[in-house]
Amino acid sequence: MIKKVINKKNKKIPEPTLRRLPVYYHYIRKFLQDNKDDFISCTQIARELHLIPIQVRKDLEYTAAQGRPKVGYSVPDLLRSIEYFLGWNNTTEAILVGCGHLGSAFLGYNGFKDYGLNVIAAFDSDLEKVGKKISGKSIYSVKVMPKIIKRMNIKIGILAVPGEVAQGLADLMVQAGIRAIWNFAPVKINASKEVIIQHENLASSLAVLSKRLALRLAE
Amino acid sequence: MIKKVINKKNKKIPEPTLRRLPVYYHYIRKFLQDNKDDFISCTQIARELHLIPIQVRKDLEYTAAQGRPKVGYSVPDLLRSIEYFLGWNNTTEAILVGCGHLGSAFLGYNGFKDYGLNVIAAFDSDLEKVGKKISGKSIYSVKVMPKIIKRMNIKIGILAVPGEVAQGLADLMVQAGIRAIWNFAPVKINASKEVIIQHENLASSLAVLSKRLALRLAE
DNA sequence: TAGATTGTTAATCGATTAACAATC
DNA sequence: TAGATTGTTAATCGATTAACAATC
């Protein structure tokens, strides 16, 4: 029994599963808010999200959530399981570098708090912006960024800057102690292997969209 | 021979392949600009992008690009193959709905032209914004959106609006003739099966990032 | 009870990786 | 020529889907 749990924990989690979990989470939260029922089943989640029940069940298995046959999963328990599994139970603090349109959009969208991410400070090199606030968050000079990263022991950095300066800023972030960079700049960032770089590439998404549309229109 | 080509065309393209192709494309374009060589090999692309040669080769196979043993692929030919395969050879026109921070970021980033997407008009319901320009693009009232979609025969719509109004605007877009919606609003959009909906979900990416970081820090 | 649903093991499917002949 | 690289077929790996017993 215990062994099984350990095995499950050690098992590598498929990335597709990881990407689906927040989608379930979002739906289940809404389900809770609407106060529909205390229990929820895979069948129900699957129907709503246009998936198949077995896939939802498999995915939830990774979170170690415990369901009851015929009844389903306790809604609050299930939410807690997903939160815990994704490390969203204790909110992670992050900094944002670059307060252009994209960075501003990020600050304005405070929905990430539900997903365990709290942007505590924003930085920009433009002195016009420094000292001002966007969506209630103060903008600081990039010059003080390393100091703040160190002082507050921040591990996650969000990069929303032009491509030309992205690598240099990433280097500064890593030197100061950042361990994961969420990169929205349209260039590849190089860093030591210990640093996790997640590149948000809209061109990839566009390729999927345009190919699917082209195939559809050719039918 | 002909039969083989037909088979290849009919073969379903794996989504991972589709997502990698723009990454190759971007690198090869840069390679061409830097004027390094007339030919490029899978080995080289793989080394640069931290992939393995066989994967690059397999992916390029889908585009029907023709390489020469020992030599590699002709750089301009390869670019053309990818462009053609992804439908980027003739630029697709799109409209943008929502000129908040995110929409503005979209208009400001004109890199999509390289990827076959041209945002020809932007719409907003805020009369303060209507008539102004962002990054050289005029903003129109959403009221005229259907008319313009029809008149210009636009097939792709980009949704960058608050969640509350997303579904309503999507319905209007589809009614006017939009066949693919790139959705940045943090809600699920429902539409008839004929319409392609691509939901850009940052929470999914965040889940991958935060789980990877949590595992890393626990090591 | 009967039927729906979980938990778990097995089968299938598809993407990745390996192997190797052809070739420049 | 020798060695690198393509093109293609085969093997492997991992994710998805199916099957079914357990159970509430």
Side-chain angles (χ1 to χ4, degrees):
Chain A
M1 185 67 172
I2 288 167
K3 203 180 165 193
K4 196 159 280 178
V5 171
I6 289 169
N7 282 348
K8 182 63 46 76
K9 274 190 179 168
N10 287 350
K11 219 196 223 170
K12 212 179 137 272
I13 308 107
E15 188 174 316
T17 295
L18 233 32
R19 299 193 79 93
R20 280 188 297 265
L21 282 173
V23 183
Y24 304 158
Y25 183 77
H26 186 253
Y27 172 65
I28 301 162
R29 261 181 86 101
K30 199 160 164 292
F31 187 90
L32 179 71
Q33 274 162 24
D34 296 352
N35 213 356
K36 285 190 182 151
D37 194 1
D38 293 340
F39 287 84
I40 193 167
S41 74
C42 292
T43 320
Q44 198 159 2
I45 297 174
R47 188 173 41 231
E48 186 67 22
L49 302 173
H50 301 120
L51 297 169
I52 57 174
I54 177 66
Q55 182 166 59
V56 177
R57 208 148 80 241
K58 272 278 167 192
D59 287 340
L60 294 182
E61 217 183 296
Y62 281 98
T63 70
Q66 295 275 324
R68 278 158 54 185
K70 167 144 176 157
V71 179
Y73 299 82
S74 148
V75 174
D77 284 2
L78 186 51
L79 285 172
R80 254 192 301 266
S81 290
I82 299 175
E83 281 169 15
Y84 183 79
F85 179 75
L86 292 175
W88 290 352
N89 47 325
N90 41 8
T91 303
T92 310
E93 290 176 333
I95 54 137
L96 170 75
V97 183
C99 300
H101 287 304
L102 186 59
S104 303
F106 221 97
L107 290 175
Y109 178 64
N110 46 25
F112 286 118
K113 263 199 176 158
D114 291 343
Y115 299 128
L117 192 80
N118 186 21
V119 179
I120 57 142
F123 302 92
D124 204 290
S125 60
D126 182 355
L127 294 177
E128 284 283 312
K129 287 179 186 164
V130 170
K132 290 186 180 155
K133 284 191 173 198
I134 293 179
S135 303
K137 301 256 162 77
S138 299
I139 303 174
Y140 303 94
S141 163
V142 279
K143 286 180 187 161
V144 300
M145 179 189 72
K147 209 186 293 177
I148 292 183
I149 291 172
K150 280 177 196 156
R151 191 192 303 157
M152 307 204 58
N153 195 28
I154 307 292
K155 297 292 172 222
I156 298 182
I158 302 156
L159 250 188
V161 298
E164 306 85 70
V165 296
Q167 183 65 56
L169 287 165
D171 292 344
L172 279 177
M173 286 159 91
V174 171
Q175 270 169 38
I178 288 289
R179 300 292 302 275
I181 294 177
W182 199 0
N183 177 35
F184 290 83
V187 292
K188 211 187 71 184
I189 298 290
N190 290 308
S192 81
K193 277 191 179 172
E194 288 83 53
V195 181
I196 292 160
I197 308 278
Q198 181 139 318
H199 189 140
E200 217 56 47
N201 191 351
L202 285 184
S204 290
S205 301
L206 177 59
V208 177
L209 183 75
S210 54
K211 187 67 190 176
R212 282 168 73 200
L213 181 62
L215 290 173
R216 192 65 66 88
L217 293 177
E219 267 170 14
Chain B
M1 185 63 173
I2 288 167
K3 202 180 165 193
K4 196 160 279 180
V5 170
I6 290 170
N7 282 347
K8 181 63 45 76
K9 272 191 181 169
N10 288 351
K11 220 197 224 169
K12 215 183 136 268
I13 309 109
E15 188 173 316
T17 295
L18 232 32
R19 299 193 79 93
R20 280 189 297 266
L21 283 173
V23 182
Y24 303 158
Y25 182 77
H26 186 253
Y27 171 65
I28 301 161
R29 261 181 85 102
K30 200 159 164 293
F31 187 90
L32 179 72
Q33 274 162 23
D34 296 353
N35 214 355
K36 285 189 182 151
D37 194 1
D38 294 340
F39 287 84
I40 193 166
S41 74
C42 291
T43 321
Q44 198 159 2
I45 297 173
R47 188 172 41 231
E48 184 67 23
L49 302 174
H50 303 120
L51 296 169
I52 57 174
I54 176 65
Q55 184 166 57
V56 178
R57 208 148 80 242
K58 272 277 167 191
D59 287 340
L60 294 182
E61 216 182 297
Y62 281 98
T63 69
Q66 295 276 324
R68 277 158 54 184
K70 165 141 178 159
V71 179
Y73 299 82
S74 148
V75 174
D77 283 2
L78 186 50
L79 285 173
R80 256 191 300 266
S81 291
I82 299 176
E83 280 168 16
Y84 184 79
F85 179 75
L86 292 174
W88 291 351
N89 45 325
N90 41 8
T91 303
T92 310
E93 290 176 334
I95 55 136
L96 170 75
V97 182
C99 300
H101 286 306
L102 186 59
S104 302
F106 220 97
L107 290 175
Y109 178 64
N110 46 25
F112 286 117
K113 262 198 179 160
D114 292 344
Y115 300 127
L117 192 80
N118 186 21
V119 179
I120 57 141
F123 302 93
D124 204 290
S125 60
D126 182 355
L127 294 178
E128 284 283 311
K129 287 179 185 164
V130 171
K132 290 186 180 156
K133 283 191 174 198
I134 293 179
S135 303
K137 300 256 162 77
S138 298
I139 303 173
Y140 303 95
S141 163
V142 278
K143 285 180 188 161
V144 300
M145 180 189 72
K147 209 185 294 179
I148 292 184
I149 290 172
K150 281 176 197 158
R151 190 192 304 155
M152 307 203 59
N153 196 25
I154 307 292
K155 297 293 171 220
I156 298 183
I158 303 157
L159 250 189
V161 297
E164 305 85 72
V165 296
Q167 181 66 57
L169 286 164
D171 292 343
L172 279 178
M173 286 159 91
V174 171
Q175 269 169 40
I178 289 289
R179 299 293 301 275
I181 294 177
W182 200 0
N183 176 35
F184 290 83
V187 291
K188 211 187 73 184
I189 298 289
N190 290 306
S192 80
K193 278 191 178 170
E194 289 82 53
V195 181
I196 292 161
I197 308 279
Q198 180 139 317
H199 190 141
E200 218 54 50
N201 191 351
L202 285 183
S204 291
S205 301
L206 177 59
V208 177
L209 183 75
S210 54
K211 187 68 189 176
R212 283 168 72 200
L213 180 62
L215 290 173
R216 192 65 66 87
L217 294 176
E219 267 170 15

